[in-house]
Amino acid sequence: MPTAQDNTNQSDKPASQPIADYSQAVDWLMSFADFERGSGPRRAKGDFALERIRSILRRLGDPQHGRPTIHIAGSKGKGSTAAILESILRAAGFRTGLFTSPHLHEFTERIRVLGPPLPEEEFARLCEQVRHVVEAELAEDPGHISTFEILTALCFHAFHAHDVDVQIIEVGLGGRLDCTNVFSRTDAAVITSLSYEHTDILGHKITQIAAEKAGIISAACRQVILAPQRYLEAAEVVRNAADDVPVPLIDVDAAYITAPAGVEPWGQWFRLHRREPRPDEPPQSMHLLPLLGRHQIDNAVTAIATIDALVAAGTVAVPSEALHKGLATVRWPGRLESFELPEAFGPNEPAGPPTVVIDGAHNAESVQRALDACREYFPHEQLHVIFGVLGDKALKDMANIIQTRSAHIYATTSEHPRARPPQQVADAFADSDWQGDVAVHADPHAALSAAGQRARADDLILVVGSLSLAADARRFLSAPAQTHIVRRAEDPTV
């Protein structure tokens, strides 16, 4: 997310103690303003600036430069698209660096080199190195530094230390003034699906939001990849931003055609048609993707379009085998991830336990997609929804959508400091003609227990509303469940 300036003078704090382990590293990071968790002053649109992060990076030797860079902004699908791109490039033999936010369980998940998160010991060691730079920065220029700024600097420091070949960077919030927007050149600026979010900062009109996201497009950008869009006026803003520079833009919807091609226990197949393939490319191909949902096919084809553009520009070489392997082996937990409900949460019926699906959907549109995906990929009799949201999200809009699909709601909360109280979540279902029932539970464990006692083997339990709720529930669910076979894949030899 962006930098915010406030009246907190962090230079008045005594110098921090050396960071010896991961726990101390987390404590140090959390001692700064962390807007994701609601610590620090309330942000206003005029507060954002890039001077502080640029200064910190200069002190580190500008480690963000010196390698091919893919910069990804958007409202939905940023993390999935980034993870797919990283998996493809790694399968092609590149040393990859991936920076995403937020994390499910640990800060280390945000910074990945060659796939896995940084080891905790290395994360702590790099934090100790960056700590000296942060303290020097505050000593010379007193003021404010945020947790996200430090994590951004830490990721580039790690990628430089590991001499990665290519870096994939997800924007935190917005784009124009996001503190990841610090490159002298980007090889691809990717704009994923745009929708209404953070309207108090980005604007209340979809065109304003799109303009902020399109702020990662500059004369230093070699090409723009525009993912399939729901709002045509948002897409037009991005196209105009690319034209103004100017920089070439690839419209994924116009250049590629996709179609679902079946579901197997290990994921979904989709068929891809390139309208204008290069001489060495087949016009049609079929791919396996472990991530479920029609929206994930959009994310996958956006990643493919980005790879195609980088290959055409001579930036990378990605054989078709690596493209297939990268798509088929990508992992991105917490997104339509399925589990078998452990016996401790429900009666041990002969037919077996119900399936639990967790998803980090946190706005009305993404909740709608999650519900559609549950209907398509997880056939069930009754749907039980464990629901909890953060304080700045459109609770009522999400509740209105959920009550059209489920008669059994379990209102709860996560450990996130900005999570709404369970009763407030339940109240969103009270003032309507909905004939279902809603129960209030203090935490996800209690909600899972209640749903498990009530759900039958052929029912489905969906945990949805925030990524933090998905993370909290995921801790209790260890045995993955196989996807029900809805329609077997077509012949993949095309």
Side-chain angles (χ1 to χ4, degrees):
M1 70 178 55
T3 304
Q5 307 298 322
D6 63 55
N7 295 323
T8 305
N9 192 334
Q10 293 172 339
S11 64
D12 293 339
K13 298 191 303 184
S16 58
Q17 296 298 312
I19 296 171
D21 56 32
Y22 177 67
S23 176
Q24 291 181 8
V26 172
D27 288 344
W28 176 68
L29 285 170
M30 297 302 293
S31 71
F32 296 87
D34 178 21
F35 301 122
E36 290 178 19
R37 298 183 64 81
S39 66
R42 181 172 176 81
R43 298 162 290 173
K45 186 172 183 178
D47 291 335
F48 300 107
L50 295 174
E51 288 81 3
R52 178 67 88 183
I53 183 62
R54 291 187 184 277
S55 179
I56 293 172
L57 290 171
R58 281 195 298 271
R59 293 176 184 273
L60 286 168
D62 282 322
Q64 74 273 28
H65 302 322
R67 66 194 66 86
T69 298
I70 303 170
H71 201 191
I72 305 176
S75 303
K76 298 187 302 298
K78 299 191 302 292
S80 296
T81 303
I84 295 168
L85 279 164
E86 189 280 331
S87 185
I88 294 170
L89 290 166
R90 178 160 41 88
F94 292 97
R95 292 182 58 81
T96 54
L98 174 64
F99 180 57
T100 59
S101 60
H103 56 271
L104 261 180
H105 301 298
E106 298 292 343
F107 275 106
T108 54
E109 298 166 23
R110 300 184 182 218
I111 303 174
R112 297 171 182 262
V113 175
L114 280 171
L118 284 182
E120 291 185 354
E121 305 80 30
E122 181 179 3
F123 188 92
R125 184 174 71 252
L126 292 173
C127 278
E128 171 61 13
Q129 294 169 6
V130 171
R131 179 182 68 87
H132 295 286
V133 171
V134 170
E135 291 182 354
E137 172 75 16
L138 287 172
E140 184 173 314
D141 184 11
H144 164 81
I145 293 177
S146 70
T147 299
F148 191 77
E149 280 180 294
I150 296 173
L151 286 165
T152 301
L154 188 67
C155 101
F156 293 129
H157 184 53
F159 296 164
H160 176 76
H162 281 272
D163 193 24
V164 302
D165 299 323
V166 59
Q167 59 190 9
I168 304 99
I169 308 297
E170 179 191 355
V171 163
L173 188 154
R176 182 174 63 92
L177 294 177
D178 185 81
C179 67
T180 63
N181 197 18
V182 289
F183 304 109
S184 59
R185 161 180 157 167
T186 55
D187 294 87
V190 181
I191 309 295
T192 64
S193 178
L194 299 171
S195 63
Y196 290 91
E197 59 161 346
H198 303 292
T199 53
D200 56 331
I201 299 169
L202 302 180
H204 292 275
K205 297 180 179 179
I206 193 64
T207 51
Q208 294 174 316
I209 295 170
E212 290 296 323
K213 306 286 185 178
I216 67 171
I217 301 171
S218 72
C221 174
R222 297 187 68 183
Q223 51 203 330
V224 177
I225 314 298
L226 178 62
Q229 299 293 326
R230 174 181 178 182
Y231 298 97
L232 298 181
E233 59 270 41
E236 191 62 24
V237 168
V238 177
R239 292 191 190 95
N240 290 339
D243 287 343
D244 289 344
V245 174
V247 60
L249 180 143
I250 297 171
D251 187 328
V252 175
D253 246 351
Y256 298 81
I257 300 173
T258 61
V263 181
E264 301 283 359
W266 43 85
Q268 64 176 327
W269 291 89
F270 69 94
R271 194 177 296 279
L272 173 72
H273 175 76
R274 293 175 170 90
R275 291 185 185 273
E276 297 183 3
R278 297 191 310 275
D280 59 336
E281 288 178 336
Q284 295 189 46
S285 56
M286 189 155 157
H287 302 277
L288 175 65
L289 184 67
L291 307 178
L292 299 179
R294 298 292 181 98
H295 59 288
Q296 293 293 8
I297 296 178
D298 285 346
N299 295 332
V301 71
T302 300
I304 292 170
T306 305
I307 294 295
D308 286 351
L310 294 173
V311 171
T315 306
V316 299
V318 179
S320 59
E321 295 82 3
L323 185 67
H324 282 279
K325 180 180 178 181
L327 287 164
T329 58
V330 65
R331 288 195 71 252
W332 197 232
R335 284 78 178 176
L336 287 174
E337 190 177 16
S338 60
F339 301 84
E340 286 188 357
L341 185 69
E343 291 183 6
F345 288 96
N348 186 12
E349 293 189 2
T355 296
V356 180
V357 172
I358 64 171
D359 191 82
H362 56 271
N363 64 23
E365 189 171 339
S366 57
V367 166
Q368 182 73 62
R369 287 182 172 186
L371 290 166
D372 290 344
C374 285
R375 176 180 290 174
E376 181 171 1
Y377 299 101
F378 302 95
H380 56 270
E381 289 296 323
Q382 295 190 71
L383 179 64
H384 301 253
V385 178
I386 296 174
F387 182 47
V389 302
L390 301 186
D392 60 340
K393 304 303 178 182
L395 167 60
K396 186 60 178 175
D397 291 344
M398 288 187 273
N400 288 342
I401 292 170
I402 290 171
Q403 67 189 18
T404 66
R405 298 287 185 88
S406 176
H408 309 296
I409 311 299
Y410 307 80
T412 188
T413 189
S414 69
E415 294 183 357
H416 197 288
R418 291 193 292 114
R420 291 178 186 260
Q423 186 61 57
Q424 191 177 113
V425 174
D427 290 344
F429 296 87
D431 57 347
S432 68
D433 296 329
W434 178 62
Q435 298 300 310
D437 57 82
V438 58
V440 176
H441 300 281
D443 54 54
H445 188 282
L448 279 167
S449 296
Q453 291 292 329
R454 188 169 188 178
R456 306 294 297 271
D458 53 2
D459 290 348
L460 182 69
I461 299 172
L462 172 65
V463 182
V464 73
S466 75
L467 194 62
S468 58
L469 179 64
D472 288 354
R474 193 173 186 270
R475 293 187 177 95
F476 307 118
L477 305 168
S478 57
Q482 287 190 330
T483 305
H484 293 276
I485 299 177
V486 181
R487 180 166 61 88
R488 286 197 174 275
E490 302 166 11
D491 183 359
T493 59
V494 294

Short mmCIF file of all heavy atoms in Angstrom, two decimals, residues 44 64 257 338 377 409:
data_model
loop_
_atom_site.label_atom_id
_atom_site.label_comp_id
_atom_site.label_asym_id
_atom_site.label_seq_id
_atom_site.Cartn_x
_atom_site.Cartn_y
_atom_site.Cartn_z
N ALA A 44 -5.41 9.79 4.34
CA ALA A 44 -6.19 10.66 3.47
C ALA A 44 -5.51 10.67 2.11
O ALA A 44 -4.30 10.44 2.01
CB ALA A 44 -6.28 12.07 4.04
N GLN A 64 16.10 -2.08 -6.54
CA GLN A 64 14.93 -2.37 -7.37
C GLN A 64 15.27 -2.40 -8.85
O GLN A 64 14.46 -2.89 -9.66
CB GLN A 64 13.82 -1.35 -7.10
CG GLN A 64 14.03 0.04 -7.69
CD GLN A 64 14.82 0.96 -6.77
OE1 GLN A 64 15.64 0.51 -5.97
NE2 GLN A 64 14.58 2.25 -6.89
N ILE A 257 -8.91 -15.94 -26.77
CA ILE A 257 -10.22 -16.52 -26.47
C ILE A 257 -9.99 -17.73 -25.57
O ILE A 257 -9.12 -18.55 -25.84
CB ILE A 257 -10.96 -16.97 -27.74
CG1 ILE A 257 -11.17 -15.78 -28.68
CG2 ILE A 257 -12.30 -17.62 -27.39
CD1 ILE A 257 -11.73 -16.18 -30.03
N SER A 338 -9.97 -26.25 -1.01
CA SER A 338 -10.92 -27.18 -0.40
C SER A 338 -10.24 -28.12 0.58
O SER A 338 -9.08 -28.50 0.41
CB SER A 338 -11.63 -27.99 -1.49
OG SER A 338 -10.70 -28.74 -2.25
N TYR A 377 -18.06 -26.06 -9.21
CA TYR A 377 -16.97 -27.01 -8.98
C TYR A 377 -17.22 -27.95 -7.80
O TYR A 377 -16.55 -28.98 -7.68
CB TYR A 377 -15.66 -26.26 -8.74
CG TYR A 377 -15.23 -25.42 -9.91
CD1 TYR A 377 -15.43 -24.05 -9.90
CD2 TYR A 377 -14.61 -25.99 -11.02
CE1 TYR A 377 -15.04 -23.26 -10.96
CE2 TYR A 377 -14.21 -25.20 -12.08
CZ TYR A 377 -14.43 -23.84 -12.06
OH TYR A 377 -14.04 -23.06 -13.11
N ILE A 409 -26.22 -19.22 7.82
CA ILE A 409 -25.10 -18.30 7.95
C ILE A 409 -24.52 -18.40 9.36
O ILE A 409 -25.28 -18.41 10.35
CB ILE A 409 -25.53 -16.84 7.67
CG1 ILE A 409 -26.33 -16.76 6.37
CG2 ILE A 409 -24.31 -15.92 7.64
CD1 ILE A 409 -25.60 -17.19 5.14
#
